[in-house]
PDB file of all heavy atoms in Angstrom:
ATOM      1  N   ARG A  95      83.279  50.912  34.705  1.00 97.00           N
ATOM      2  CA  ARG A  95      81.881  50.691  35.097  1.00 97.00           C
ATOM      3  C   ARG A  95      81.911  50.381  36.595  1.00 97.00           C
ATOM      4  O   ARG A  95      82.661  49.514  37.045  1.00 97.00           O
ATOM      5  CB  ARG A  95      81.330  49.512  34.294  1.00 97.00           C
ATOM      6  CG  ARG A  95      79.863  49.232  34.492  1.00 97.00           C
ATOM      7  CD  ARG A  95      79.405  48.087  33.573  1.00 97.00           C
ATOM      8  NE  ARG A  95      79.528  48.464  32.161  1.00 97.00           N
ATOM      9  CZ  ARG A  95      78.667  49.246  31.517  1.00 97.00           C
ATOM     10  NH1 ARG A  95      77.619  49.741  32.144  1.00 97.00           N
ATOM     11  NH2 ARG A  95      78.852  49.547  30.245  1.00 97.00           N
ATOM     12  N   MET A  96      81.115  51.124  37.378  1.00 98.00           N
ATOM     13  CA  MET A  96      81.197  51.014  38.837  1.00 98.00           C
ATOM     14  C   MET A  96      79.883  50.488  39.422  1.00 98.00           C
ATOM     15  O   MET A  96      78.812  50.696  38.857  1.00 98.00           O
ATOM     16  CB  MET A  96      81.495  52.388  39.455  1.00 98.00           C
ATOM     17  CG  MET A  96      82.608  53.181  38.787  1.00 98.00           C
ATOM     18  SD  MET A  96      84.245  52.410  38.912  1.00 98.00           S
ATOM     19  CE  MET A  96      84.787  53.008  40.506  1.00 98.00           C
ATOM     20  N   ARG A  97      79.985  49.883  40.612  1.00 97.00           N
ATOM     21  CA  ARG A  97      78.789  49.368  41.303  1.00 97.00           C
ATOM     22  C   ARG A  97      78.214  50.428  42.246  1.00 97.00           C
ATOM     23  O   ARG A  97      78.964  51.139  42.902  1.00 97.00           O
ATOM     24  CB  ARG A  97      79.163  48.172  42.183  1.00 97.00           C
ATOM     25  CG  ARG A  97      79.498  46.917  41.443  1.00 97.00           C
ATOM     26  CD  ARG A  97      79.870  45.807  42.437  1.00 97.00           C
ATOM     27  NE  ARG A  97      80.691  44.811  41.769  1.00 97.00           N
ATOM     28  CZ  ARG A  97      82.018  44.864  41.682  1.00 97.00           C
ATOM     29  NH1 ARG A  97      82.695  45.855  42.250  1.00 97.00           N
ATOM     30  NH2 ARG A  97      82.692  43.933  41.029  1.00 97.00           N
ATOM     31  N   TYR A  98      76.888  50.461  42.312  1.00 97.00           N
ATOM     32  CA  TYR A  98      76.252  51.221  43.384  1.00 97.00           C
ATOM     33  C   TYR A  98      76.441  50.456  44.693  1.00 97.00           C
ATOM     34  O   TYR A  98      76.652  49.243  44.691  1.00 97.00           O
ATOM     35  CB  TYR A  98      74.759  51.399  43.116  1.00 97.00           C
ATOM     36  CG  TYR A  98      74.468  52.290  41.924  1.00 97.00           C
ATOM     37  CD1 TYR A  98      73.891  51.776  40.765  1.00 97.00           C
ATOM     38  CD2 TYR A  98      74.763  53.644  41.973  1.00 97.00           C
ATOM     39  CE1 TYR A  98      73.618  52.589  39.681  1.00 97.00           C
ATOM     40  CE2 TYR A  98      74.493  54.469  40.888  1.00 97.00           C
ATOM     41  CZ  TYR A  98      73.922  53.942  39.745  1.00 97.00           C
ATOM     42  OH  TYR A  98      73.671  54.751  38.679  1.00 97.00           O
ATOM     43  N   SER A  99      76.353  51.160  45.808  1.00 96.00           N
ATOM     44  CA  SER A  99      76.484  50.465  47.091  1.00 96.00           C
ATOM     45  C   SER A  99      75.143  50.474  47.825  1.00 96.00           C
ATOM     46  O   SER A  99      74.248  51.262  47.493  1.00 96.00           O
ATOM     47  CB  SER A  99      77.543  51.150  47.947  1.00 96.00           C
ATOM     48  OG  SER A  99      76.987  52.262  48.616  1.00 96.00           O
ATOM     49  N   ASN A 100      75.010  49.583  48.802  1.00 96.00           N
ATOM     50  CA  ASN A 100      73.841  49.645  49.696  1.00 96.00           C
ATOM     51  C   ASN A 100      74.283  49.719  51.159  1.00 96.00           C
ATOM     52  O   ASN A 100      73.514  49.427  52.062  1.00 96.00           O
ATOM     53  CB  ASN A 100      72.873  48.470  49.441  1.00 96.00           C
ATOM     54  CG  ASN A 100      73.423  47.139  49.933  1.00 96.00           C
ATOM     55  OD1 ASN A 100      74.579  47.049  50.362  1.00 96.00           O
ATOM     56  ND2 ASN A 100      72.608  46.101  49.876  1.00 96.00           N
ATOM     57  N   ASP A 101      75.550  50.117  51.356  1.00 96.00           N
ATOM     58  CA  ASP A 101      76.044  50.229  52.731  1.00 96.00           C
ATOM     59  C   ASP A 101      76.622  51.610  53.027  1.00 96.00           C
ATOM     60  O   ASP A 101      77.412  51.769  53.956  1.00 96.00           O
ATOM     61  CB  ASP A 101      77.077  49.134  53.029  1.00 96.00           C
ATOM     62  CG  ASP A 101      78.320  49.254  52.163  1.00 96.00           C
ATOM     63  OD1 ASP A 101      78.388  50.190  51.330  1.00 96.00           O
ATOM     64  OD2 ASP A 101      79.222  48.417  52.312  1.00 96.00           O
ATOM     65  N   CYS A 102      76.225  52.600  52.220  1.00 96.00           N
ATOM     66  CA  CYS A 102      76.631  53.980  52.489  1.00 96.00           C
ATOM     67  C   CYS A 102      78.123  54.188  52.293  1.00 96.00           C
ATOM     68  O   CYS A 102      78.700  55.103  52.828  1.00 96.00           O
ATOM     69  CB  CYS A 102      76.204  54.381  53.908  1.00 96.00           C
ATOM     70  SG  CYS A 102      76.379  56.129  54.261  1.00 96.00           S
ATOM     71  N   GLU A 103      78.784  53.316  51.519  1.00 96.00           N
ATOM     72  CA  GLU A 103      80.196  53.541  51.229  1.00 96.00           C
ATOM     73  C   GLU A 103      80.375  53.454  49.727  1.00 96.00           C
ATOM     74  O   GLU A 103      80.239  52.380  49.151  1.00 96.00           O
ATOM     75  CB  GLU A 103      81.056  52.532  51.995  1.00 96.00           C
ATOM     76  CG  GLU A 103      80.935  52.811  53.483  1.00 96.00           C
ATOM     77  CD  GLU A 103      81.775  51.921  54.382  1.00 96.00           C
ATOM     78  OE1 GLU A 103      82.811  51.422  53.936  1.00 96.00           O
ATOM     79  OE2 GLU A 103      81.359  51.736  55.539  1.00 96.00           O
ATOM     80  N   GLY A 104      80.619  54.583  49.089  1.00 98.00           N
ATOM     81  CA  GLY A 104      80.630  54.666  47.638  1.00 98.00           C
ATOM     82  C   GLY A 104      79.437  55.490  47.196  1.00 98.00           C
ATOM     83  O   GLY A 104      79.023  56.431  47.875  1.00 98.00           O
ATOM     84  N   LEU A 105      78.863  55.124  46.036  1.00 98.00           N
ATOM     85  CA  LEU A 105      77.661  55.831  45.562  1.00 98.00           C
ATOM     86  C   LEU A 105      76.447  54.990  45.960  1.00 98.00           C
ATOM     87  O   LEU A 105      76.139  53.975  45.339  1.00 98.00           O
ATOM     88  CB  LEU A 105      77.734  56.031  44.039  1.00 98.00           C
ATOM     89  CG  LEU A 105      76.688  56.970  43.432  1.00 98.00           C
ATOM     90  CD1 LEU A 105      76.707  58.345  44.088  1.00 98.00           C
ATOM     91  CD2 LEU A 105      76.902  57.123  41.927  1.00 98.00           C
ATOM     92  N   HIS A 106      75.790  55.422  47.020  1.00 98.00           N
ATOM     93  CA  HIS A 106      74.694  54.654  47.605  1.00 98.00           C
ATOM     94  C   HIS A 106      73.431  54.841  46.762  1.00 98.00           C
ATOM     95  O   HIS A 106      73.103  55.958  46.353  1.00 98.00           O
ATOM     96  CB  HIS A 106      74.442  55.136  49.030  1.00 98.00           C
ATOM     97  CG  HIS A 106      73.470  54.292  49.807  1.00 98.00           C
ATOM     98  ND1 HIS A 106      73.871  53.251  50.607  1.00 98.00           N
ATOM     99  CD2 HIS A 106      72.116  54.335  49.895  1.00 98.00           C
ATOM    100  CE1 HIS A 106      72.804  52.692  51.164  1.00 98.00           C
ATOM    101  NE2 HIS A 106      71.723  53.327  50.746  1.00 98.00           N
ATOM    102  N   ARG A 107      72.743  53.731  46.517  1.00 97.00           N
ATOM    103  CA  ARG A 107      71.517  53.785  45.725  1.00 97.00           C
ATOM    104  C   ARG A 107      70.363  53.322  46.591  1.00 97.00           C
ATOM    105  O   ARG A 107      70.458  52.286  47.257  1.00 97.00           O
ATOM    106  CB  ARG A 107      71.659  52.865  44.507  1.00 97.00           C
ATOM    107  CG  ARG A 107      70.494  52.909  43.527  1.00 97.00           C
ATOM    108  CD  ARG A 107      70.855  52.063  42.295  1.00 97.00           C
ATOM    109  NE  ARG A 107      69.817  52.143  41.284  1.00 97.00           N
ATOM    110  CZ  ARG A 107      68.728  51.362  41.279  1.00 97.00           C
ATOM    111  NH1 ARG A 107      68.546  50.460  42.226  1.00 97.00           N
ATOM    112  NH2 ARG A 107      67.836  51.500  40.311  1.00 97.00           N
TER     113      ARG A 107
END
Side-chain angles (χ1 to χ4, degrees):
R95 185 177 296 282
M96 314 295 275
R97 288 179 203 89
Y98 293 113
S99 83
N100 72 354
D101 63 0
C102 190
E103 293 182 27
L105 191 55
H106 188 93
R107 185 174 184 275

